[in-house]
C-alpha cells in the first residue's frame, strides 16, 4: 500500500516566523512529488512539481527540497505572513500510475498577525 | 490562467438519489481525474480517464460510480444511489499527459447526502 505522511498535522506560528514541514513518501518507483497550497473553498494551487533527487525549488518566500532515496521532502516558508495560512498538501506521483496522485493528509498552517 | 471549472459548488441530496457532478477541464488537457475528500480525511483518488475510457480506478470507485465525457468539454461523475458516506468534497482535475504536466484542480463540489 502506497502511503504519504505529512507532519505536523497543524502548526501555529507568529507573523515573521520561519517554518517548515515534512512529507514522507515511498522511495521506490518514484516519478514526481507535488506540493499544493489549499485554502478553504478554493482549488488546490500547485506550488512545486519535483522530480529529481536533490531538487530545490523556490517561489517567493516558499521553497522545497527533495530526497528521493530516503523518501522525504521539506517545505519551508521564510518570514510567514497571515496570507500564508492554508493547508499544504503533498502528493506522490509514482511510476506505475496513470496520472493519479496519492495525497498526504496535509499540514494546516495558521499564521497569527 | 486556464482553470478547471466545477458545478455546482454545493449539492444536497437525499439518500438513494442519483447525483451528477459536473466538470469542465482545461481545453487542451487529455487526462481527467476525480478525487474526493471526506471531512477530516485525506484527498483520495477515485478515477482517471483518457481517450474516452477509464484508465485507472480505485477500490472506492465501485458500481455506484460512473464517469462520462458526453461532449468535447464536460467530464461528469455520476453516483447512482447516494449513501450517507458519499458526503464529501469532490475535486475534478486535468493534466496534459499521464506524467502530470500541468496538473490542475477545480475548486470542488461539496456533496451532502441527508
Amino acid at each position: 500500500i502506497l502511503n504519504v505522511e505529512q507532519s505536523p498535522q497543524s502548526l501555529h506560528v507568529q507573523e515573521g516566523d520561519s517554518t517548515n514541514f515534512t512529507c514522507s513518501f515511498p522511495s521506490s518507483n518514484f516519478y514526481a512529488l507535488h506540493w499544493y497550497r489549499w485554502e478553504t473553498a478554493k482549488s488546490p494551487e500547485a506550488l512545486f512539481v519535483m522530480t529529481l533527487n536533490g531538487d530545490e525549488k523556490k517561489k517567493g518566500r516558499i521553497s522545497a527540497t527533495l530526497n528521493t532515496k530516503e523518501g522525504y521532502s521539506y517545505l519551508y516558508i521564510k518570514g510567514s505572513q497571515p496570507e500564508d495560512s492554508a493547508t499544504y498538501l503533498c502528493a506522490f506521483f509514482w511510476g506505475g500510475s496513470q496520472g493519479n496522485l496519492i495525497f498526504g493528509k496535509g499540514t494546516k498552517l495558521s499564521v497569527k498577525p | 490562467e486556464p482553470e478547471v471549472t466545477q458545478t455546482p459548488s454545493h449539492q444536497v441530496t437525499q439518500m438513494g438519489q442519483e447525483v451528477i457532478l459536473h466538470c469542465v477541464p482545461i481545453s487542451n488537457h487529455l487526462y481527467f481525474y476525480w478525487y474526493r475528500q471526506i471531512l477530516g480525511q485525506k484527498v483520495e483518488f477515485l478515477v482517471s480517464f483518457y481517450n474516452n475510457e477509464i484508465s485507472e480506478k480505485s477500490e472506492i470507485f465501485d458500481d455506484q460510480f460512473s464517469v462520462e465525457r458526453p461532449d468535447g468539454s464536460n467530464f461528469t461523475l455520476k453516483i447512482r444511489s447516494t449513501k450517507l458516506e458519499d458526503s464529501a468534497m469532490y475535486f475534478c482535475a486535468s493534466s496534459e499527459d499521464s506524467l502530470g504536466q500541468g496538473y490542475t484542480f477545480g475548486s470542488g463540489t461539496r456533496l451532502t447526502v441527508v
Side-chain angles (χ1 to χ4, degrees):
Chain A
I1 296 176
L2 297 172
N3 198 27
V4 175
E5 298 288 342
Q6 288 188 250
S7 63
Q9 283 190 346
S10 64
L11 199 51
H12 298 264
V13 301
Q14 288 293 134
E15 183 175 354
D17 287 352
S18 293
T19 187
N20 67 84
F21 17 96
T22 307
C23 173
S24 302
F25 53 87
S27 54
S28 61
N29 215 6
F30 174 87
Y31 184 76
L33 189 84
H34 293 211
W35 278 101
Y36 291 89
R37 180 177 179 277
W38 184 28
E39 291 182 70
T40 307
K42 293 188 179 178
S43 311
E45 173 200 350
L47 290 174
F48 305 114
V49 176
M50 308 180 80
T51 55
L52 297 174
N53 185 42
D55 250 357
E56 289 190 29
K57 295 210 171 181
K58 191 173 179 183
K59 188 175 182 177
R61 293 178 291 99
I62 304 177
S63 60
T65 61
L66 179 69
N67 183 325
T68 60
K69 294 188 176 177
E70 293 178 45
Y72 64 83
S73 175
Y74 293 134
L75 189 80
Y76 301 91
I77 303 179
K78 188 176 175 183
S80 304
Q81 300 296 308
E83 58 264 30
D84 295 329
S85 298
T87 296
Y88 291 83
L89 295 170
C90 74
F92 172 66
F93 186 5
W94 63 292
S97 77
Q98 294 293 318
N100 54 294
L101 296 167
I102 300 167
F103 280 85
K105 208 167 178 179
T107 293
K108 187 171 182 180
L109 176 67
S110 298
V111 183
K112 288 187 180 175
Chain B
E1 191 158 330
E3 288 183 345
V4 174
T5 306
Q6 287 188 246
T7 54
S9 56
H10 293 92
Q11 173 93 45
V12 180
T13 190
Q14 291 214 321
M15 194 167 56
Q17 295 294 306
E18 175 183 285
V19 291
I20 299 176
L21 309 183
H22 297 268
C23 172
V24 179
I26 292 174
S27 60
N28 65 334
H29 283 188
L30 300 177
Y31 287 78
F32 314 113
Y33 314 91
W34 283 100
Y35 290 81
R36 77 171 186 192
Q37 189 191 34
I38 295 170
L39 191 64
Q41 298 184 23
K42 293 185 182 185
V43 176
E44 300 171 291
F45 167 74
L46 293 178
V47 65
S48 58
F49 190 86
Y50 168 71
N51 201 26
N52 284 322
E53 60 183 28
I54 291 173
S55 49
E56 194 166 357
K57 61 182 181 180
S58 71
E59 55 192 32
I60 301 168
F61 195 89
D62 61 21
D63 292 343
Q64 292 300 311
F65 291 87
S66 62
V67 288
E68 202 175 35
R69 190 154 162 83
D71 52 43
S73 58
N74 288 285
F75 178 51
T76 60
L77 175 70
K78 183 193 286 187
I79 310 174
R80 271 183 253 289
S81 177
T82 49
K83 304 188 263 283
L84 294 176
E85 54 265 37
D86 293 327
S87 296
M89 193 78 165
Y90 287 81
F91 289 101
C92 174
S94 67
S95 66
E96 296 172 20
D97 57 32
S98 67
L99 305 179
Q101 293 296 318
Y103 219 109
T104 306
F105 283 85
S107 56
T109 293
R110 181 166 295 286
L111 176 66
T112 303
V113 182
V114 296

PDB file of all heavy atoms in Angstrom, chain A residues 26-54:
ATOM      1  N   PRO A  26       6.885   6.818  -0.409  1.00  0.00           N
ATOM      2  CA  PRO A  26       7.649   5.617  -0.770  1.00  0.00           C
ATOM      3  C   PRO A  26       8.828   5.992  -1.663  1.00  0.00           C
ATOM      4  O   PRO A  26       8.688   6.801  -2.580  1.00  0.00           O
ATOM      5  CB  PRO A  26       6.635   4.757  -1.522  1.00  0.00           C
ATOM      6  CG  PRO A  26       5.304   5.294  -1.132  1.00  0.00           C
ATOM      7  CD  PRO A  26       5.492   6.752  -0.861  1.00  0.00           C
ATOM      8  N   SER A  27       9.984   5.393  -1.416  1.00  0.00           N
ATOM      9  CA  SER A  27      11.160   5.755  -2.209  1.00  0.00           C
ATOM     10  C   SER A  27      11.292   4.896  -3.476  1.00  0.00           C
ATOM     11  O   SER A  27      12.117   5.186  -4.335  1.00  0.00           O
ATOM     12  CB  SER A  27      12.425   5.630  -1.364  1.00  0.00           C
ATOM     13  OG  SER A  27      12.508   4.342  -0.797  1.00  0.00           O
ATOM     14  N   SER A  28      10.458   3.877  -3.608  1.00  0.00           N
ATOM     15  CA  SER A  28      10.563   3.039  -4.807  1.00  0.00           C
ATOM     16  C   SER A  28       9.574   3.505  -5.868  1.00  0.00           C
ATOM     17  O   SER A  28       8.502   4.016  -5.552  1.00  0.00           O
ATOM     18  CB  SER A  28      10.296   1.583  -4.450  1.00  0.00           C
ATOM     19  OG  SER A  28       9.007   1.443  -3.932  1.00  0.00           O
ATOM     20  N   ASN A  29       9.969   3.321  -7.129  1.00  0.00           N
ATOM     21  CA  ASN A  29       9.101   3.641  -8.264  1.00  0.00           C
ATOM     22  C   ASN A  29       8.667   5.107  -8.267  1.00  0.00           C
ATOM     23  O   ASN A  29       7.563   5.436  -8.682  1.00  0.00           O
ATOM     24  CB  ASN A  29       7.870   2.729  -8.257  1.00  0.00           C
ATOM     25  CG  ASN A  29       7.420   2.382  -9.676  1.00  0.00           C
ATOM     26  OD1 ASN A  29       8.073   2.720 -10.649  1.00  0.00           O
ATOM     27  ND2 ASN A  29       6.301   1.707  -9.773  1.00  0.00           N
ATOM     28  N   PHE A  30       9.565   5.971  -7.821  1.00  0.00           N
ATOM     29  CA  PHE A  30       9.254   7.397  -7.705  1.00  0.00           C
ATOM     30  C   PHE A  30       9.208   8.024  -9.090  1.00  0.00           C
ATOM     31  O   PHE A  30      10.062   7.758  -9.939  1.00  0.00           O
ATOM     32  CB  PHE A  30      10.316   8.077  -6.844  1.00  0.00           C
ATOM     33  CG  PHE A  30      10.153   9.576  -6.779  1.00  0.00           C
ATOM     34  CD1 PHE A  30       9.325  10.139  -5.820  1.00  0.00           C
ATOM     35  CD2 PHE A  30      10.815  10.403  -7.665  1.00  0.00           C
ATOM     36  CE1 PHE A  30       9.164  11.515  -5.746  1.00  0.00           C
ATOM     37  CE2 PHE A  30      10.654  11.779  -7.608  1.00  0.00           C
ATOM     38  CZ  PHE A  30       9.827  12.330  -6.646  1.00  0.00           C
ATOM     39  N   TYR A  31       8.211   8.890  -9.310  1.00  0.00           N
ATOM     40  CA  TYR A  31       8.225   9.703 -10.518  1.00  0.00           C
ATOM     41  C   TYR A  31       8.266  11.188 -10.198  1.00  0.00           C
ATOM     42  O   TYR A  31       9.063  11.922 -10.733  1.00  0.00           O
ATOM     43  CB  TYR A  31       7.031   9.390 -11.432  1.00  0.00           C
ATOM     44  CG  TYR A  31       7.157  10.177 -12.694  1.00  0.00           C
ATOM     45  CD1 TYR A  31       8.058   9.814 -13.683  1.00  0.00           C
ATOM     46  CD2 TYR A  31       6.436  11.362 -12.856  1.00  0.00           C
ATOM     47  CE1 TYR A  31       8.235  10.590 -14.812  1.00  0.00           C
ATOM     48  CE2 TYR A  31       6.605  12.142 -13.987  1.00  0.00           C
ATOM     49  CZ  TYR A  31       7.498  11.745 -14.957  1.00  0.00           C
ATOM     50  OH  TYR A  31       7.683  12.522 -16.054  1.00  0.00           O
ATOM     51  N   ALA A  32       7.381  11.653  -9.325  1.00  0.00           N
ATOM     52  CA  ALA A  32       7.348  13.083  -9.003  1.00  0.00           C
ATOM     53  C   ALA A  32       6.679  13.305  -7.661  1.00  0.00           C
ATOM     54  O   ALA A  32       5.925  12.457  -7.171  1.00  0.00           O
ATOM     55  CB  ALA A  32       6.598  13.877 -10.081  1.00  0.00           C
ATOM     56  N   LEU A  33       6.979  14.436  -7.059  1.00  0.00           N
ATOM     57  CA  LEU A  33       6.291  14.861  -5.841  1.00  0.00           C
ATOM     58  C   LEU A  33       5.702  16.238  -6.103  1.00  0.00           C
ATOM     59  O   LEU A  33       6.396  17.142  -6.574  1.00  0.00           O
ATOM     60  CB  LEU A  33       7.250  14.925  -4.654  1.00  0.00           C
ATOM     61  CG  LEU A  33       6.503  15.158  -3.356  1.00  0.00           C
ATOM     62  CD1 LEU A  33       5.975  13.846  -2.801  1.00  0.00           C
ATOM     63  CD2 LEU A  33       7.368  15.818  -2.314  1.00  0.00           C
ATOM     64  N   HIS A  34       4.426  16.384  -5.793  1.00  0.00           N
ATOM     65  CA  HIS A  34       3.740  17.664  -5.963  1.00  0.00           C
ATOM     66  C   HIS A  34       3.481  18.285  -4.595  1.00  0.00           C
ATOM     67  O   HIS A  34       3.117  17.582  -3.653  1.00  0.00           O
ATOM     68  CB  HIS A  34       2.368  17.455  -6.628  1.00  0.00           C
ATOM     69  CG  HIS A  34       2.408  16.979  -8.037  1.00  0.00           C
ATOM     70  ND1 HIS A  34       1.440  17.302  -8.960  1.00  0.00           N
ATOM     71  CD2 HIS A  34       3.278  16.194  -8.712  1.00  0.00           C
ATOM     72  CE1 HIS A  34       1.710  16.747 -10.121  1.00  0.00           C
ATOM     73  NE2 HIS A  34       2.813  16.043  -9.998  1.00  0.00           N
ATOM     74  N   TRP A  35       3.642  19.595  -4.508  1.00  0.00           N
ATOM     75  CA  TRP A  35       3.205  20.349  -3.333  1.00  0.00           C
ATOM     76  C   TRP A  35       2.075  21.290  -3.767  1.00  0.00           C
ATOM     77  O   TRP A  35       2.176  21.970  -4.794  1.00  0.00           O
ATOM     78  CB  TRP A  35       4.342  21.183  -2.751  1.00  0.00           C
ATOM     79  CG  TRP A  35       5.282  20.436  -1.851  1.00  0.00           C
ATOM     80  CD1 TRP A  35       6.520  19.959  -2.162  1.00  0.00           C
ATOM     81  CD2 TRP A  35       5.069  20.110  -0.471  1.00  0.00           C
ATOM     82  NE1 TRP A  35       7.099  19.351  -1.068  1.00  0.00           N
ATOM     83  CE2 TRP A  35       6.229  19.427  -0.013  1.00  0.00           C
ATOM     84  CE3 TRP A  35       4.028  20.320   0.432  1.00  0.00           C
ATOM     85  CZ2 TRP A  35       6.366  18.960   1.297  1.00  0.00           C
ATOM     86  CZ3 TRP A  35       4.154  19.860   1.734  1.00  0.00           C
ATOM     87  CH2 TRP A  35       5.313  19.190   2.162  1.00  0.00           C
ATOM     88  N   TYR A  36       1.009  21.321  -2.945  1.00  0.00           N
ATOM     89  CA  TYR A  36      -0.133  22.194  -3.206  1.00  0.00           C
ATOM     90  C   TYR A  36      -0.414  23.045  -1.982  1.00  0.00           C
ATOM     91  O   TYR A  36      -0.247  22.608  -0.844  1.00  0.00           O
ATOM     92  CB  TYR A  36      -1.395  21.382  -3.533  1.00  0.00           C
ATOM     93  CG  TYR A  36      -1.340  20.657  -4.849  1.00  0.00           C
ATOM     94  CD1 TYR A  36      -0.823  19.382  -4.915  1.00  0.00           C
ATOM     95  CD2 TYR A  36      -1.791  21.259  -6.028  1.00  0.00           C
ATOM     96  CE1 TYR A  36      -0.754  18.702  -6.132  1.00  0.00           C
ATOM     97  CE2 TYR A  36      -1.719  20.592  -7.240  1.00  0.00           C
ATOM     98  CZ  TYR A  36      -1.202  19.320  -7.276  1.00  0.00           C
ATOM     99  OH  TYR A  36      -1.130  18.662  -8.482  1.00  0.00           O
ATOM    100  N   ARG A  37      -0.911  24.233  -2.254  1.00  0.00           N
ATOM    101  CA  ARG A  37      -1.403  25.117  -1.203  1.00  0.00           C
ATOM    102  C   ARG A  37      -2.918  25.175  -1.367  1.00  0.00           C
ATOM    103  O   ARG A  37      -3.421  25.478  -2.461  1.00  0.00           O
ATOM    104  CB  ARG A  37      -0.790  26.508  -1.375  1.00  0.00           C
ATOM    105  CG  ARG A  37      -1.219  27.521  -0.367  1.00  0.00           C
ATOM    106  CD  ARG A  37      -0.476  28.830  -0.617  1.00  0.00           C
ATOM    107  NE  ARG A  37      -0.875  29.836   0.322  1.00  0.00           N
ATOM    108  CZ  ARG A  37      -1.945  30.595   0.210  1.00  0.00           C
ATOM    109  NH1 ARG A  37      -2.731  30.467  -0.835  1.00  0.00           N
ATOM    110  NH2 ARG A  37      -2.245  31.483   1.130  1.00  0.00           N
ATOM    111  N   TRP A  38      -3.642  24.907  -0.287  1.00  0.00           N
ATOM    112  CA  TRP A  38      -5.085  24.783  -0.403  1.00  0.00           C
ATOM    113  C   TRP A  38      -5.772  25.637   0.641  1.00  0.00           C
ATOM    114  O   TRP A  38      -5.685  25.367   1.830  1.00  0.00           O
ATOM    115  CB  TRP A  38      -5.475  23.313  -0.253  1.00  0.00           C
ATOM    116  CG  TRP A  38      -6.921  23.048  -0.451  1.00  0.00           C
ATOM    117  CD1 TRP A  38      -7.807  23.762  -1.212  1.00  0.00           C
ATOM    118  CD2 TRP A  38      -7.655  21.982   0.094  1.00  0.00           C
ATOM    119  NE1 TRP A  38      -9.043  23.202  -1.164  1.00  0.00           N
ATOM    120  CE2 TRP A  38      -8.987  22.100  -0.373  1.00  0.00           C
ATOM    121  CE3 TRP A  38      -7.339  20.918   0.942  1.00  0.00           C
ATOM    122  CZ2 TRP A  38      -9.986  21.195  -0.025  1.00  0.00           C
ATOM    123  CZ3 TRP A  38      -8.331  20.023   1.291  1.00  0.00           C
ATOM    124  CH2 TRP A  38      -9.638  20.169   0.811  1.00  0.00           C
ATOM    125  N   GLU A  39      -6.482  26.641   0.146  1.00  0.00           N
ATOM    126  CA  GLU A  39      -7.316  27.444   1.024  1.00  0.00           C
ATOM    127  C   GLU A  39      -8.747  26.944   0.897  1.00  0.00           C
ATOM    128  O   GLU A  39      -9.192  26.567  -0.196  1.00  0.00           O
ATOM    129  CB  GLU A  39      -7.275  28.912   0.613  1.00  0.00           C
ATOM    130  CG  GLU A  39      -5.946  29.584   0.862  1.00  0.00           C
ATOM    131  CD  GLU A  39      -6.008  31.050   0.463  1.00  0.00           C
ATOM    132  OE1 GLU A  39      -6.704  31.819   1.161  1.00  0.00           O
ATOM    133  OE2 GLU A  39      -5.386  31.415  -0.559  1.00  0.00           O
ATOM    134  N   THR A  40      -9.467  27.004   1.990  1.00  0.00           N
ATOM    135  CA  THR A  40     -10.849  26.526   2.022  1.00  0.00           C
ATOM    136  C   THR A  40     -11.664  27.206   0.937  1.00  0.00           C
ATOM    137  O   THR A  40     -11.522  28.413   0.699  1.00  0.00           O
ATOM    138  CB  THR A  40     -11.467  26.834   3.399  1.00  0.00           C
ATOM    139  OG1 THR A  40     -10.614  26.303   4.402  1.00  0.00           O
ATOM    140  CG2 THR A  40     -12.835  26.194   3.530  1.00  0.00           C
ATOM    141  N   ALA A  41     -12.503  26.429   0.256  1.00  0.00           N
ATOM    142  CA  ALA A  41     -13.408  26.912  -0.791  1.00  0.00           C
ATOM    143  C   ALA A  41     -12.682  27.339  -2.067  1.00  0.00           C
ATOM    144  O   ALA A  41     -13.280  27.934  -2.957  1.00  0.00           O
ATOM    145  CB  ALA A  41     -14.279  28.064  -0.299  1.00  0.00           C
ATOM    146  N   LYS A  42     -11.403  27.007  -2.164  1.00  0.00           N
ATOM    147  CA  LYS A  42     -10.666  27.301  -3.390  1.00  0.00           C
ATOM    148  C   LYS A  42     -10.052  26.022  -3.945  1.00  0.00           C
ATOM    149  O   LYS A  42     -10.022  24.991  -3.279  1.00  0.00           O
ATOM    150  CB  LYS A  42      -9.564  28.324  -3.122  1.00  0.00           C
ATOM    151  CG  LYS A  42     -10.090  29.699  -2.744  1.00  0.00           C
ATOM    152  CD  LYS A  42      -8.964  30.705  -2.673  1.00  0.00           C
ATOM    153  CE  LYS A  42      -9.504  32.068  -2.314  1.00  0.00           C
ATOM    154  NZ  LYS A  42      -8.411  33.060  -2.182  1.00  0.00           N
ATOM    155  N   SER A  43      -9.529  26.106  -5.180  1.00  0.00           N
ATOM    156  CA  SER A  43      -8.807  24.968  -5.765  1.00  0.00           C
ATOM    157  C   SER A  43      -7.470  24.799  -5.061  1.00  0.00           C
ATOM    158  O   SER A  43      -6.829  25.790  -4.733  1.00  0.00           O
ATOM    159  CB  SER A  43      -8.505  25.218  -7.234  1.00  0.00           C
ATOM    160  OG  SER A  43      -9.614  25.651  -7.949  1.00  0.00           O
ATOM    161  N   PRO A  44      -7.027  23.549  -4.896  1.00  0.00           N
ATOM    162  CA  PRO A  44      -5.625  23.375  -4.504  1.00  0.00           C
ATOM    163  C   PRO A  44      -4.730  24.028  -5.558  1.00  0.00           C
ATOM    164  O   PRO A  44      -4.871  23.759  -6.742  1.00  0.00           O
ATOM    165  CB  PRO A  44      -5.452  21.855  -4.476  1.00  0.00           C
ATOM    166  CG  PRO A  44      -6.841  21.314  -4.263  1.00  0.00           C
ATOM    167  CD  PRO A  44      -7.747  22.271  -4.973  1.00  0.00           C
ATOM    168  N   GLU A  45      -3.820  24.871  -5.086  1.00  0.00           N
ATOM    169  CA  GLU A  45      -2.960  25.620  -6.003  1.00  0.00           C
ATOM    170  C   GLU A  45      -1.597  24.946  -6.067  1.00  0.00           C
ATOM    171  O   GLU A  45      -0.965  24.744  -5.028  1.00  0.00           O
ATOM    172  CB  GLU A  45      -2.816  27.049  -5.473  1.00  0.00           C
ATOM    173  CG  GLU A  45      -1.817  27.922  -6.215  1.00  0.00           C
ATOM    174  CD  GLU A  45      -1.359  29.101  -5.381  1.00  0.00           C
ATOM    175  OE1 GLU A  45      -1.950  29.349  -4.308  1.00  0.00           O
ATOM    176  OE2 GLU A  45      -0.387  29.758  -5.793  1.00  0.00           O
ATOM    177  N   ALA A  46      -1.159  24.600  -7.249  1.00  0.00           N
ATOM    178  CA  ALA A  46       0.133  23.929  -7.396  1.00  0.00           C
ATOM    179  C   ALA A  46       1.266  24.867  -7.002  1.00  0.00           C
ATOM    180  O   ALA A  46       1.335  26.008  -7.474  1.00  0.00           O
ATOM    181  CB  ALA A  46       0.315  23.466  -8.836  1.00  0.00           C
ATOM    182  N   LEU A  47       2.139  24.409  -6.119  1.00  0.00           N
ATOM    183  CA  LEU A  47       3.326  25.169  -5.735  1.00  0.00           C
ATOM    184  C   LEU A  47       4.548  24.651  -6.487  1.00  0.00           C
ATOM    185  O   LEU A  47       5.253  25.407  -7.151  1.00  0.00           O
ATOM    186  CB  LEU A  47       3.578  25.046  -4.225  1.00  0.00           C
ATOM    187  CG  LEU A  47       2.593  25.752  -3.297  1.00  0.00           C
ATOM    188  CD1 LEU A  47       2.890  25.409  -1.844  1.00  0.00           C
ATOM    189  CD2 LEU A  47       2.641  27.259  -3.502  1.00  0.00           C
ATOM    190  N   PHE A  48       4.811  23.368  -6.348  1.00  0.00           N
ATOM    191  CA  PHE A  48       6.008  22.784  -6.966  1.00  0.00           C
ATOM    192  C   PHE A  48       5.696  21.386  -7.485  1.00  0.00           C
ATOM    193  O   PHE A  48       4.908  20.662  -6.893  1.00  0.00           O
ATOM    194  CB  PHE A  48       7.151  22.652  -5.933  1.00  0.00           C
ATOM    195  CG  PHE A  48       7.514  23.933  -5.240  1.00  0.00           C
ATOM    196  CD1 PHE A  48       7.285  24.072  -3.872  1.00  0.00           C
ATOM    197  CD2 PHE A  48       8.097  24.982  -5.924  1.00  0.00           C
ATOM    198  CE1 PHE A  48       7.624  25.246  -3.211  1.00  0.00           C
ATOM    199  CE2 PHE A  48       8.436  26.164  -5.277  1.00  0.00           C
ATOM    200  CZ  PHE A  48       8.190  26.288  -3.912  1.00  0.00           C
ATOM    201  N   VAL A  49       6.349  21.028  -8.581  1.00  0.00           N
ATOM    202  CA  VAL A  49       6.419  19.649  -9.026  1.00  0.00           C
ATOM    203  C   VAL A  49       7.906  19.303  -9.052  1.00  0.00           C
ATOM    204  O   VAL A  49       8.686  19.935  -9.752  1.00  0.00           O
ATOM    205  CB  VAL A  49       5.812  19.449 -10.428  1.00  0.00           C
ATOM    206  CG1 VAL A  49       5.992  18.006 -10.881  1.00  0.00           C
ATOM    207  CG2 VAL A  49       4.343  19.831 -10.433  1.00  0.00           C
ATOM    208  N   MET A  50       8.277  18.323  -8.250  1.00  0.00           N
ATOM    209  CA  MET A  50       9.698  17.997  -8.077  1.00  0.00           C
ATOM    210  C   MET A  50       9.936  16.579  -8.565  1.00  0.00           C
ATOM    211  O   MET A  50       9.185  15.667  -8.213  1.00  0.00           O
ATOM    212  CB  MET A  50      10.085  18.151  -6.612  1.00  0.00           C
ATOM    213  CG  MET A  50       9.680  19.525  -6.069  1.00  0.00           C
ATOM    214  SD  MET A  50      10.118  19.752  -4.365  1.00  0.00           S
ATOM    215  CE  MET A  50      11.859  20.149  -4.538  1.00  0.00           C
ATOM    216  N   THR A  51      10.978  16.407  -9.358  1.00  0.00           N
ATOM    217  CA  THR A  51      11.200  15.100  -9.963  1.00  0.00           C
ATOM    218  C   THR A  51      12.583  14.509  -9.678  1.00  0.00           C
ATOM    219  O   THR A  51      12.742  13.291  -9.688  1.00  0.00           O
ATOM    220  CB  THR A  51      11.002  15.171 -11.489  1.00  0.00           C
ATOM    221  OG1 THR A  51      11.863  16.190 -12.019  1.00  0.00           O
ATOM    222  CG2 THR A  51       9.564  15.496 -11.843  1.00  0.00           C
ATOM    223  N   LEU A  52      13.590  15.354  -9.446  1.00  0.00           N
ATOM    224  CA  LEU A  52      14.954  14.833  -9.334  1.00  0.00           C
ATOM    225  C   LEU A  52      15.456  14.847  -7.901  1.00  0.00           C
ATOM    226  O   LEU A  52      15.236  15.826  -7.168  1.00  0.00           O
ATOM    227  CB  LEU A  52      15.901  15.675 -10.182  1.00  0.00           C
ATOM    228  CG  LEU A  52      15.633  15.663 -11.693  1.00  0.00           C
ATOM    229  CD1 LEU A  52      16.549  16.639 -12.396  1.00  0.00           C
ATOM    230  CD2 LEU A  52      15.801  14.257 -12.248  1.00  0.00           C
ATOM    231  N   ASN A  53      16.137  13.802  -7.516  1.00  0.00           N
ATOM    232  CA  ASN A  53      16.748  13.751  -6.193  1.00  0.00           C
ATOM    233  C   ASN A  53      17.675  14.950  -6.011  1.00  0.00           C
ATOM    234  O   ASN A  53      18.487  15.241  -6.894  1.00  0.00           O
ATOM    235  CB  ASN A  53      17.538  12.461  -6.032  1.00  0.00           C
ATOM    236  CG  ASN A  53      18.082  12.302  -4.625  1.00  0.00           C
ATOM    237  OD1 ASN A  53      17.388  12.585  -3.646  1.00  0.00           O
ATOM    238  ND2 ASN A  53      19.325  11.861  -4.523  1.00  0.00           N
ATOM    239  N   GLY A  54      17.523  15.644  -4.882  1.00  0.00           N
ATOM    240  CA  GLY A  54      18.346  16.817  -4.639  1.00  0.00           C
ATOM    241  C   GLY A  54      17.744  18.112  -5.167  1.00  0.00           C
ATOM    242  O   GLY A  54      18.295  19.189  -4.950  1.00  0.00           O
TER     243      GLY A  54
END
